[in-house]
């Protein structure tokens, strides 16, 4: 498979994979080791005062499934601590393109900042495809939107940050990404080539991956973390034990969950 975009250290590992192995690596459900999934809670409280920390969540689903309503299951441990939770919707494929999704997510952050200008910080969290969209906000040009959001933290959970491998999998069927589209919408590429500098070097960025995510998801997460650190971001990396690609986010229903505690600690340390 001869495509542009080799890594600095030589040919990227995914380029050496067969089509079958590449498909396997980017199919999270094939790496699940649990017996079954429990029904998730889907209730959450309404936003009260605007002088609150705001937690904005971008759902996963490979940019082609999922919704903000299906993602509302995890909010109770956060709202119980006085965090306003915003579930963000975006037009999934085939209706929406990657460029449109990134633009919609950007505008959603702008909207929250303008609507709640006295917020105590905006924290962005995304899972899987949503982690990719959240990571793209690290590179957003806020100047053209007339407002700089009060961003205080990023939580990037089991994401894909270099989209080139997706072009060669069945996941691209509804997306219709070209290699150019994938490169333009790959935060990893921008960090390595454009060397984007943080607007606020003190803003923490957590890159998290589940123990039972595929090796490619692990590689992508580690390489993003390394690129962030190299470019001056306050980045940390966590491999969360005993969870797969789906449990890592479903467990946010539990106040004692490791990721829940990291999120709450980050928010209230920054206040």
């Amino acid at each position: 498979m001869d495509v542009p975009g080799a890594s600095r250290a030589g040919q990227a590992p995914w380029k050496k994979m067969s089509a079958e192995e590449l498909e396997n690596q980017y199919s999270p459900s094939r790496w699940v080791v649990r017996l079954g999934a429990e029904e998730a809670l889907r209730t959450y409280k309404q936003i009260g005062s605007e002088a609150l920390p705001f937690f904005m969540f971008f759902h996963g689903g490979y940019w082609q499934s999922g919704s903000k309503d299906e993602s509302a299951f995890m909010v109770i441990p956060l709202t119980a601590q006085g965090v306003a939770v915003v579930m963000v919707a975006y037009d999934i494929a085939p209706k929406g393109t990657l460029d449109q999704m990134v633009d919609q997510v950007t505008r959603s952050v702008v909207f929250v900042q303008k609507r709640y200008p006295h917020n105590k910080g905006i924290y962005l969290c995304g899972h899987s495809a949503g982690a990719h969209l959240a990571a793209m906000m690290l590179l957003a040009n806020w100047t053209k939107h007339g407002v700089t959001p009060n961003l205080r933290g990023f939580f990037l959970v089991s994401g894909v940050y270099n989209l080139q491998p997706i072009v060669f999998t069945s996941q691209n069927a509804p997306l219709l990404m070209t290699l150019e589209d994938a490169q333009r919408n790959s935060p990893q590429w921008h960090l390595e080539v454009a060397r984007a500098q943080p607007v606020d070097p003190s803003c923490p960025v957590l890159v998290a991956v589940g123990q039972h995510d595929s090796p490619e998801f692990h590689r992508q997460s580690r390489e993003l973390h390394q690129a962030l650190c190299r470019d001056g971001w306050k980045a940390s990396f966590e491999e969360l034990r005993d969870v797969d690609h789906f449990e890592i986010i479903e467990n946010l229903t539990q106040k004692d969950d490791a990721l829940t505690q990291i999120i709450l600690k980050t928010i209230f340390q920054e206040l």
Side-chain angles (χ1 to χ4, degrees):
M1 186 182 298
D2 186 15
V3 297
S7 66
R8 293 179 178 179
Q11 191 177 48
W14 66 268
K15 295 181 181 179
K16 302 175 184 178
M17 296 179 185
S18 66
E20 182 180 3
E21 177 59 15
L22 193 64
E23 187 74 27
N24 187 51
Q25 287 284 332
Y26 286 94
S27 298
S29 60
R30 300 185 186 183
W31 296 83
V32 172
V33 296
R34 56 182 161 156
L35 297 178
E38 296 181 350
E39 182 68 18
L41 296 175
R42 289 180 171 82
T43 59
Y44 58 99
K45 297 180 180 178
Q46 298 296 318
I47 295 174
S49 167
E50 69 170 88
L52 297 170
F54 279 70
F55 179 88
M56 299 184 67
F57 182 76
F58 311 131
H59 68 81
Y62 260 135
W63 309 277
Q64 58 196 275
S65 64
S67 72
K68 66 180 181 63
D69 295 328
E70 293 173 357
S71 302
F73 60 84
M74 96 281 279
V75 306
I76 291 178
L78 299 175
T79 57
Q81 298 298 319
V83 178
V85 180
V86 179
M87 298 297 170
V88 178
Y90 54 91
D91 288 334
I92 58 178
K95 179 180 180 181
T97 65
L98 260 296
D99 291 305
Q100 290 170 332
M101 294 178 211
V102 171
D103 181 66
Q104 289 171 343
V105 166
T106 304
R107 292 178 184 278
S108 73
V109 177
V110 169
F111 172 82
V112 169
Q113 180 62 41
K114 289 183 175 180
R115 176 65 179 82
Y116 302 100
H118 303 296
N119 68 77
K120 291 186 177 180
I122 297 175
Y123 299 82
L124 306 185
C125 179
H127 171 242
S128 197
H132 157 264
L133 294 172
M136 289 296 287
M137 298 304 97
L138 295 165
L139 312 165
N141 179 5
W142 302 112
T143 303
K144 72 176 185 179
H145 294 283
V147 65
T148 300
N150 184 23
L151 295 174
R152 296 288 188 88
F154 290 76
F155 307 102
L156 311 178
V157 184
S158 290
V160 179
Y161 310 107
N162 174 5
L163 304 192
Q164 288 191 19
I166 304 297
V167 173
F168 302 95
T169 72
S170 62
Q171 305 296 346
N172 194 38
L175 295 168
L176 300 175
M177 277 193 302
T178 64
L179 281 171
E180 182 181 18
D181 295 331
Q183 185 179 75
R184 185 173 60 254
N185 288 289
S186 290
Q188 181 75 30
W189 182 84
H190 287 282
L191 288 167
E192 291 183 349
V193 176
R195 302 302 297 269
Q197 298 297 311
V199 176
D200 181 359
S202 67
C203 181
V205 182
L206 170 69
V207 183
V209 66
Q211 178 184 358
H212 301 301
D213 266 307
S214 79
E216 273 293 282
F217 274 76
H218 278 257
R219 180 186 66 80
Q220 290 229 10
S221 294
R222 290 188 181 278
E223 290 188 357
L224 181 75
H225 171 247
Q226 292 166 1
L228 288 167
C229 291
R230 184 174 57 246
D231 288 355
W233 297 85
K234 183 183 176 183
S236 59
F237 176 85
E238 291 283 345
E239 178 186 315
L240 299 178
R241 305 288 298 174
D242 301 323
V243 292
D244 61 38
H245 186 80
F246 305 101
E247 290 170 319
I248 194 172
I249 204 70
E250 290 171 356
N251 287 354
L252 288 185
T253 58
Q254 304 168 19
K255 66 179 182 180
D256 295 328
D257 171 65
L259 182 57
T260 305
Q261 288 299 306
I262 291 172
I263 290 171
L264 288 171
K265 182 178 180 181
T266 300
I267 291 174
F268 290 103
Q269 277 185 341
E270 294 295 316
L271 291 181

